Amino acid sequence: GAVVSQHPSWVICKSGTSVKIECRSLDFQATTMFWYRQFPKQSLMLMATSNEGSKATYEQGVEKDKFLINHASLTLSTLTVTSAHPEDSSFYICSAPGDSSYNEQFFGPGTRLTVL
Amino acid sequence: KQEVTQIPAALSVPEGENLVLNCSFTDSAIYNLQWFRQDPGKGLTSLLLIQSSQREQTSGRLNASLDKSSGRSTLYIAASQPGDSATYLCAARANQAGTALIFGKGTTLSVSS
């Protein structure tokens, strides 16, 4: 199956700093990628849809100025958490639909963000 | 707005038992439905993908069924093993291009030896 990578796998940062997370589709192109957030013992909540060549669309309640998304190419989307606070500590996972007719979603391994 | 519900939230069974995990969704106009496994602190492992036109999919000891009209899917695990212990997530994708998966809260399974 298709492979999606994320970098870094974990990051610890100080409150007030910005953190960038990369999501790459390794063997296929993705015009759309999705970013999810998962708090401990909770399910995955969709944050935003990243669109190559256009602005991301954000789910209700997600601050677009805080979570900056850039879909720089057909294989790369980045999520930047700006001015991170401890409440932003979470597990961030990206996904991309494969290019087969099944349109299966392929997920990255996730990035665990801890804000001190 | 699509909502996905999973019952039960947690399940404990002895090794060897067959078990069923339930998933329901409010909007039957789905494109497909996926079942995932998530180990603690890890990412997602895709188990089965069922297209809207399909009734079931099988992979090894796993069998997933889909009944769109009633808004339900089940994941059947045969002859459970301790290694099956994990959280199982059900996710539905709306019947529109470029849409994301909507996840249930998951069922945490514990299989004791």
Side-chain angles (χ1 to χ4, degrees):
Chain A
V3 178
V4 175
S5 70
Q6 276 185 247
H7 178 81
S9 56
W10 60 270
V11 57
I12 301 173
C13 70
K14 292 182 179 180
S15 185
T17 61
S18 295
V19 174
K20 179 185 285 188
I21 302 170
E22 292 185 350
C23 176
R24 292 181 185 273
S25 56
L26 297 186
D27 49 2
F28 67 102
Q29 295 183 334
T31 57
T32 301
M33 290 184 176
F34 303 103
W35 287 95
Y36 295 83
R37 179 169 54 184
Q38 185 180 36
F39 292 108
K41 299 191 184 300
Q42 300 290 318
S43 190
L44 277 75
M45 296 299 295
L46 179 66
M47 296 177 65
T49 301
S50 174
N51 303 298
E52 191 270 336
S54 64
K55 292 182 179 180
T57 54
Y58 292 80
E59 295 300 299
Q60 190 173 10
V62 178
E63 300 176 57
K64 63 180 181 180
D65 294 330
K66 181 171 183 61
F67 298 99
L68 302 179
I69 291 173
N70 181 25
H71 202 130
S73 73
L74 288 173
T75 59
L76 173 64
S77 174
T78 60
L79 168 68
T80 300
V81 183
T82 62
S83 186
H85 290 285
E87 57 265 31
D88 298 323
S89 298
S90 187
F91 193 51
Y92 293 86
I93 307 178
C94 69
S95 76
D99 53 11
S100 75
S101 58
Y102 289 113
N103 242 273
E104 182 175 358
Q105 293 275 353
F106 297 97
F107 283 77
T111 296
R112 184 160 304 282
L113 170 64
T114 301
V115 184
L116 302 177
Chain B
K1 185 179 179 180
Q2 179 73 273
E3 292 184 6
V4 179
T5 303
Q6 291 187 248
I7 296 174
L11 181 63
S12 294
V13 301
E15 182 177 8
E17 268 203 15
N18 302 324
L19 57 101
V20 175
L21 308 181
N22 297 292
C23 172
S24 62
F25 44 95
T26 55
D27 187 348
S28 62
I30 61 170
Y31 187 86
N32 57 35
L33 184 141
Q34 276 183 265
W35 282 92
F36 296 87
R37 168 185 173 140
Q38 186 176 31
D39 292 287
K42 304 293 185 181
L44 303 179
T45 300
S46 180
L47 298 175
L48 289 164
L49 168 69
I50 310 178
Q51 301 297 332
S52 62
S53 59
Q54 297 175 322
R55 298 283 294 186
E56 65 177 342
Q57 282 287 326
T58 297
S59 175
R61 294 183 294 109
L62 305 180
N63 175 278
S65 68
L66 175 65
D67 184 342
K68 273 185 56 178
S69 61
S70 66
R72 294 180 181 178
S73 177
T74 62
L75 178 66
Y76 175 82
I77 302 177
S80 59
Q81 303 171 358
D84 295 331
S85 298
T87 296
Y88 291 81
L89 296 166
C90 164
R93 184 176 170 205
N95 196 15
Q96 299 173 20
T99 55
L101 289 171
I102 304 301
F103 283 82
K105 292 185 176 181
T107 294
T108 299
L109 173 65
S110 176
V111 182
S112 57
S113 56

